[in-house]
């Protein structure tokens, strides 16, 4: 078994430059949630030059809309959603200092260009493993856009949250390289 | 005419919604275990292990397998000699879905297509009614997540495109889905019928136990060939590379117009959820 790299958020340029496609990581610290609707609002604020609900610099965004928490639980099921839907928005957030994105499925060339230019890494985690991933989430608090329900922005505190480097700052892409290795 | 109380149906639909979201069928778990044994890719093996562990946690803690608890798709087979007393069946099913999603702490994922405003209770359910002989009411609840549903498609081929034509369409659609449909996937294929019917056939194909071949020998052979072609793509668990891209391909057919060859593919993620009951 390959040993996982521990990553404490927020991340620096040095942190993300060390990571290569295929590396397994475990996150500790704060990550923020945002999906389609929250991304649209954040991009509108950036375009208007207005202040964002949280400072993006060094932060990691997890693409998740959790199910409601049962009484006594921190959060419900909390696995990743498909990342491609955030592709039109992500370059704006990356230019504002975002250092990591966590989701599932490959990203567009536009996102890759921004990731390489501003140093941001894309991590994949296991879709459909929301019950297991929720166990790594120790605290959850809605910090913006409560009206969006499951799509609200949450501040999560995570411990040993598992992910894999899918696309790195050097253009390395596990969705291309990994698949090439096993195609017949 | 046999009668069933509306409340009995409401309670049953509620339970089916919760159970379907917290427990995947045994046929899926055994297919996943076999795939984990056979998988060559270390990350693929690890992902399959996580999926299996997740299923255990979900069942033990009554937490949804996936946060996307889906659109509530309900297949109804209504016996001709039974009626539901004390409520319109469509309303009764929606009430069951409403209660199931609230009491089961399931996510409300239904919204207006344009304003994107959430309906707040995961209704309306998508209900398919069928009339059958007898005095029983069969309900199949299929929570369908957005990620895999988005990767589905319908196309119209020329009849001369034949078997190779539809195989190409299916494999290409799976290749384009990459990791987005949460592989390992179950592939439902509908062939024939009219435009709307071919899509429904593809969805119904997903209801078959995982890997159970078609009763038609020629189709069973094509299912096997397609499964190999799909797994040779190398997409692997979560699209990160590996041998296990699909666990099964199920094909359903219906006679079609002499001018047409309609084909639909409906993909299901590995959170292959459905629960049924007969009242």
């Amino acid at each position: 078994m390959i040993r996982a790299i521990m990553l404490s958020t927020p991340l620096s340029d040095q942190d993300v430059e060390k990571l290569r496609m295929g590396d397994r990581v475990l996150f500790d610290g704060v990550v923020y949630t945002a999906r389609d609707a929250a991304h649209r609002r954040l991009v509108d604020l950036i375009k208007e030059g207005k202040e964002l609900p949280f400072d993006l610099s060094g932060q990691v965004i997890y693409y998740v809309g959790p199910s409601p928490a049962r009484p006594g639980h921190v959060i419900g099921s909390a696995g990743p959603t498909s990342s491609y839907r955030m592709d039109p928005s992500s370059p704006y957030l990356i230019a504002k200092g975002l250092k990591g994105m966590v989701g599932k499925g490959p990203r567009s060339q536009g996102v890759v260009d921004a990731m390489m230019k501003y140093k941001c890494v894309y991590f994949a985690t296991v879709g459909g493993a929301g019950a297991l991933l929720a166990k790594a989430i120790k605290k959850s608090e809605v910090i913006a856009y409560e009206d969006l329900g499951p799509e609200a922005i949450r501040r999560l505190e995570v411990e040993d949250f598992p992910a894999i480097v899918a696309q790195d700052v050097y253009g390395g892409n596990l969705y291309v390289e990994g698949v090439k290795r096993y195609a017949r | 005419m046999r009668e069933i109380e509306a409340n009995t149906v409401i309670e049953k639909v509620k339970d089916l919604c919760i159970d379907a979201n917290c427990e995947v069928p045994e046929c899926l778990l055994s297919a996943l275990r076999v795939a984990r044994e056979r998988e060559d890719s270390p990350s693929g093996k690890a992902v399959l292990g996580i999926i299996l562990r997740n299923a255990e946690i979900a069942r033990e803690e009554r937490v949804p397998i996936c946060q996307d608890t889906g659109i509530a798709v309900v297949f109804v087979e209504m016996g001709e000699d039974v009626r539901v007393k004390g409520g319109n069946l469509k309303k009764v099913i929606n009430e069951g879905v409403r209660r199931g999603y609230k009491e089961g702490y399931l996510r409300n994922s239904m919204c207006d297509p344009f304003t994107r405003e959430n309906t707040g209770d995961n209704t309306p359910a998508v209900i398919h009614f069928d009339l059958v002989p007898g005095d029983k009411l069969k309900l199949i609840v299929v929570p369908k997540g957005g990620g895999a549903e988005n990767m589905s498609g319908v196309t119209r081929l020329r009849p001369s495109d034949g078997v190779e034509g539809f195989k190409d369409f299916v494999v290409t659609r799976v290749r384009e889905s990459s990791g987005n449909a949460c592989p390992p996937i179950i592939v439902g294929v509908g062939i024939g019928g009219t435009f709307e019917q071919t899509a429904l056939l593809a969805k119904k194909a997903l209801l078959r136990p995982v890997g159970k071949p078609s009763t038609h020998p020629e189709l069973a052979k094509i299912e096997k060939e397609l499964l190999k072609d799909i797994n040779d793509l190398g997409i692997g668990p979560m699209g990160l590379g590996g041998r296990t891209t699909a666990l099964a391909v199920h094909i359903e057919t219906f006679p079609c117009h002499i001018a047409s060859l309609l084909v639909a593919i409906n993909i299901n993620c590995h959170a292959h959820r459905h629960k049924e009951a007969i009242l």
Side-chain angles (χ1 to χ4, degrees):
Chain A
M1 198 71 176
I2 309 151
R3 214 160 57 94
I5 298 164
M6 301 300 299
L7 280 182
S8 293
T9 60
L11 304 178
S12 65
D13 278 0
Q14 289 74 20
D15 290 330
V16 300
E17 281 168 350
K18 276 190 284 194
L19 300 169
R20 295 291 189 283
M21 160 190 85
D23 286 347
R24 299 208 191 151
V25 303
L26 291 171
F27 285 103
D28 268 334
V30 170
V31 302
Y32 292 90
T33 73
R35 296 174 36 116
D36 312 55
H39 272 75
R40 273 195 297 277
R41 291 192 188 179
L42 292 175
V43 169
D44 285 347
L45 290 176
I46 292 172
K47 284 181 177 168
E48 290 162 15
K50 290 184 179 155
E51 199 183 329
L52 298 176
F54 64 102
D55 182 5
L56 280 170
S57 68
Q59 299 304 335
V60 173
I61 289 182
Y62 179 24
Y63 304 142
V64 58
S67 63
R70 276 187 179 277
H73 287 223
V74 170
I75 199 163
S77 195
T81 194
S82 297
S83 307
Y84 73 91
R85 297 197 314 271
M86 271 51 81
D87 283 354
S89 308
S90 293
Y92 292 95
L93 275 55
I94 293 169
K96 284 277 172 195
L98 184 71
K99 286 286 153 224
M101 302 168 285
V102 185
K104 67 177 170 83
R107 311 305 303 267
S108 69
Q109 192 56 46
V111 178
V112 170
D113 293 343
M115 285 164 57
M116 291 172 74
K117 183 173 175 190
Y118 296 104
K119 309 285 178 209
C120 176
V121 167
Y122 172 55
F123 302 89
T125 190
V126 181
L132 180 140
L133 291 168
K135 293 200 163 288
I137 299 170
K138 303 301 172 189
K139 218 172 148 187
S140 166
E141 177 196 2
V142 173
I143 59 149
Y145 311 147
E146 192 151 17
D147 61 302
L148 294 179
E151 297 206 54
I153 294 183
R154 290 172 168 78
R155 181 183 184 278
L156 305 181
E157 288 180 23
V158 302
E159 272 176 37
D160 293 342
F161 184 94
I164 185 162
V165 176
Q167 295 180 238
D168 62 32
V169 300
Y170 307 99
N173 185 346
L174 197 54
Y175 293 105
V176 174
E177 297 307 318
V179 171
K180 230 188 259 172
R181 211 171 297 154
Y182 295 98
R184 298 198 241 226
Chain B
M1 176 81 67
R2 189 178 156 237
E3 289 186 333
I4 303 173
E5 291 291 334
N7 220 29
T8 309
V9 180
I10 292 173
E11 284 301 306
K12 186 50 77 179
V13 170
K14 181 190 91 174
D15 291 346
L16 290 173
C17 288
I18 299 171
D19 290 348
N21 269 295
C22 300
E23 293 167 25
V24 282
E26 187 51 42
C27 59
L28 175 83
L29 293 174
S30 37
L32 285 166
R33 285 186 206 108
V34 171
R36 183 178 51 176
E37 285 309 305
R38 290 188 187 159
E39 182 54 71
D40 293 334
S41 145
S43 70
K45 236 182 175 39
V47 167
L48 292 168
I50 287 173
I51 290 170
L52 283 162
R53 178 75 191 112
N54 183 71
E56 279 172 30
I57 295 171
R59 197 185 59 238
E60 282 161 15
E61 300 190 7
R62 298 295 281 170
V63 167
I65 290 148
C66 178
Q67 74 291 336
D68 184 352
T69 51
I71 285 185
V73 179
V74 184
F75 285 92
V76 180
E77 287 175 21
M78 185 91 189
E80 284 160 339
D81 302 317
V82 61
R83 65 181 290 268
V84 172
K85 195 178 128 194
N88 164 275
L89 182 54
K90 201 182 265 184
K91 284 188 182 156
V92 161
I93 289 172
N94 275 307
E95 182 56 26
V97 168
R98 189 175 289 120
R99 291 193 198 169
Y101 274 70
K102 188 169 192 302
E103 293 175 31
Y105 296 89
L106 308 178
R107 195 181 80 182
N108 296 326
S109 305
M110 289 297 267
C111 72
D112 181 280
F114 293 117
T115 66
R116 311 303 296 178
E117 195 184 332
N118 201 299
T119 65
D121 58 9
N122 218 51
T123 67
V126 173
I127 310 172
H128 301 290
F129 289 99
D130 200 3
L131 270 180
V132 297
D135 64 354
K136 301 279 188 245
L137 171 62
K138 183 172 177 183
L139 300 160
I140 313 172
V141 172
V142 187
K144 191 72 173 71
E149 192 73 356
N150 281 346
M151 298 298 125
S152 302
V154 183
T155 194
R156 45 183 178 59
L157 302 173
R158 285 173 303 215
S160 60
D161 291 332
V163 172
E164 286 313 308
F166 88 76
K167 278 167 90 176
D168 267 1
F169 168 68
V170 170
V171 174
T172 302
R173 198 68 213 105
V174 172
R175 182 191 291 121
E176 289 165 357
S177 316
S178 173
N180 293 314
C182 281
I185 54 176
I186 318 290
V187 181
V189 183
I191 304 171
T194 51
F195 177 74
E196 82 286 3
Q197 195 180 18
T198 188
L200 191 56
L201 285 171
K203 178 143 275 140
K204 280 188 175 167
L206 296 174
L207 298 178
R208 218 193 280 165
V210 177
K212 186 180 177 202
S214 167
T215 50
H216 188 300
E218 187 56 27
L219 287 179
K221 184 171 157 267
I222 297 170
E223 287 175 346
K224 224 170 153 183
E225 289 165 1
L226 268 175
L227 182 62
K228 183 182 182 303
D229 291 349
I230 288 169
N231 284 331
D232 281 352
L233 291 172
I235 293 169
M238 291 317 294
L240 303 171
R243 305 281 182 217
T244 324
T245 303
L247 296 171
V249 178
H250 298 164
I251 302 174
E252 294 292 334
T253 63
F254 196 87
C256 63
H257 192 282
I258 50 173
S260 307
L261 178 57
L262 286 151
V263 181
I265 170 171
N266 193 209
I267 298 181
N268 213 0
C269 53
H270 62 76
H272 180 63
R273 297 160 286 186
H274 50 86
K275 269 273 185 256
E276 60 179 63
I278 296 171
L279 293 174

